[in-house]
Each structure stands twice: as structure tokens, then as C-alpha cells.
Amino acid sequence: MVLDYGKQAAWPNGFGAQESPIALADAQMVSNVHLQVTAPYLMHSELDDGTTIKLLGQGQVQIGARTYDCVQTHFHVPAEHVIDQAAALELHFVHQNRIGQLCVVAVLFSKGQADPLIQQVIADFVAGSQHPETIDLSALMPTQGKVYHYLGSLTTPPLTEGVEWYVIQPQHFTVSEQQVTWFVQHFGKNNRALQPRYDRVIECFDLD
């Protein structure tokens, strides 16, 4: 069943105090944490799930001493997390490690020039289907910018909590007005509403 973003309050959940997304204001600066792609993000399948485009494949990131494997990537328009203002698009790299811990690396795109890799995803889209897709998304994992880290949840049901979030605000990642419009025309606005922060600590550091 396709999610209805107009009726988010009716989504099945067991809401606690660690829901996502949140506003990332008042973050505390910490020492830089090593965040690096250790295996390329090679996608082999593109899926229309009714609410977004999902790309399935493989990839790996090391964050500090922990290594996470990519489960899937997908897009939210407009962006879900807010820093100083709402971004145009948010790309989620969803990961899991060997003991089952979830980690999402989110990349925020502002409005500007079209992104060529996202344009390839759009060009190869086939409505209502899953089909082979060969694309390397590694270049969409920034190497410069600010990273915001906190403990949250998935932003779609089952809204599982205990998810490590690393939200990256790159220096020069942009999407065009036409690309934003394309996503909205095909999926509507698919951002979950901001959730209460409660007493969660938000850390901020620069990419190495």
C-alpha cells in the first residue's frame, strides 16, 4: 500500500522520544569523525515503490571505527531534515552493520544546477516497475561539508527507532528546479513532518 503523506498521523507506530526527522539547530561542535566510502555505491536495480525511487545495490561506508553496508538509497522532496532552511532534496543512503544496527547517511541538496547522476536516475525511471539499473552513486557521498549526528528513527513505517543519523550539508550539491518538479509531479511531496527533539543531543563536525 502506498503511503499517504497527507495522513501521517494515521501511520502505524509506537512513537517514542527518538523519532525522525528533526530540526538540526543548536548542534554542539565535536571533534571530526572519520567518514569515508570504503566500497563504491554500485546500484543494480531501480524501483518505483509508489512514494519515491529506490535504488538497490551495494556500497560501504566507515564511520569512526564502525563499518556499514548499504541496504538501499532513496529520495525525499522536499528534504526532511532542516538546518538553517529547508533543502530542496534529501538523499538517504540506508545502511546496516553486521549486528543489525541501522545507520542512515542523508545528503542535502540545495536548488541550483541540475545534478547529472540524479538526472540519470530520472531518465531511466519506469513507472510502476522494478528494472535493472547500472549506476555508481559514490560521487553523491560528499567529501566536504558539515555533518550532523543524532539518534533517531526511520522516517517511514515501521518508524523503527535506534537509527544512527549522519545528515550531511555539502558545500556545492545542487538539484535544479526541473528535477524537484519532476519528483513532486510523480510522487507528491514525500517528506515526513518534523518530529519533537526532546532532550536529544545533536553533534556537528566537519568532514575530514
Side-chain angles (χ1 to χ4, degrees), residues 14 20 57 59 67 78 87 91 101 105 108 120 128 139 149 151 162 203:
S20 296
T67 299
L91 170 60
Q101 294 173 322
V105 179
L108 302 177
Q120 181 180 336
H149 169 243
L151 193 61
E203 298 177 336

Side-chain angles (χ1 to χ4, degrees), residues 32-64:
N32 291 1
V33 176
H34 184 66
L35 190 157
Q36 182 179 15
V37 173
T38 48
Y41 285 83
L42 302 176
M43 302 294 108
H44 56 65
S45 182
E46 183 171 345
L47 166 67
D48 173 11
D49 77 348
T51 57
T52 188
I53 295 177
K54 284 185 178 178
L55 295 162
L56 310 178
Q58 59 194 33
Q60 190 178 80
V61 67
Q62 182 175 350
I63 304 175

Side-chain angles (χ1 to χ4, degrees), residues 52-128:
T52 188
I53 295 177
K54 284 185 178 178
L55 295 162
L56 310 178
Q58 59 194 33
Q60 190 178 80
V61 67
Q62 182 175 350
I63 304 175
R66 292 182 289 182
T67 299
Y68 295 93
D69 294 308
C70 181
V71 176
Q72 49 104 339
T73 66
H74 62 268
F75 303 86
H76 292 274
V77 176
E80 297 195 300
H81 290 87
V82 175
I83 300 177
D84 47 0
Q85 59 184 0
L89 178 146
E90 185 169 329
L91 170 60
H92 288 175
F93 290 91
V94 183
H95 303 80
Q96 194 169 41
N97 65 12
R98 291 182 179 179
I99 61 172
Q101 294 173 322
L102 293 172
C103 168
V104 181
V105 179
V107 183
L108 302 177
F109 290 73
S110 56
K111 201 168 288 186
Q113 296 295 315
D115 183 273
L117 282 173
I118 293 177
Q119 190 58 42
Q120 181 180 336
V121 171
I122 290 173
D124 294 343
F125 176 74
V126 179

Side-chain angles (χ1 to χ4, degrees), residues 127-155:
S129 75
Q130 180 173 350
H131 63 92
E133 171 70 19
T134 301
I135 187 169
D136 185 346
L137 297 183
S138 303
L140 297 185
M141 185 70 78
T143 57
Q144 293 181 307
K146 296 281 187 187
V147 183
Y148 295 80
H149 169 243
Y150 76 100
L151 193 61
S153 74
L154 299 179
T155 63

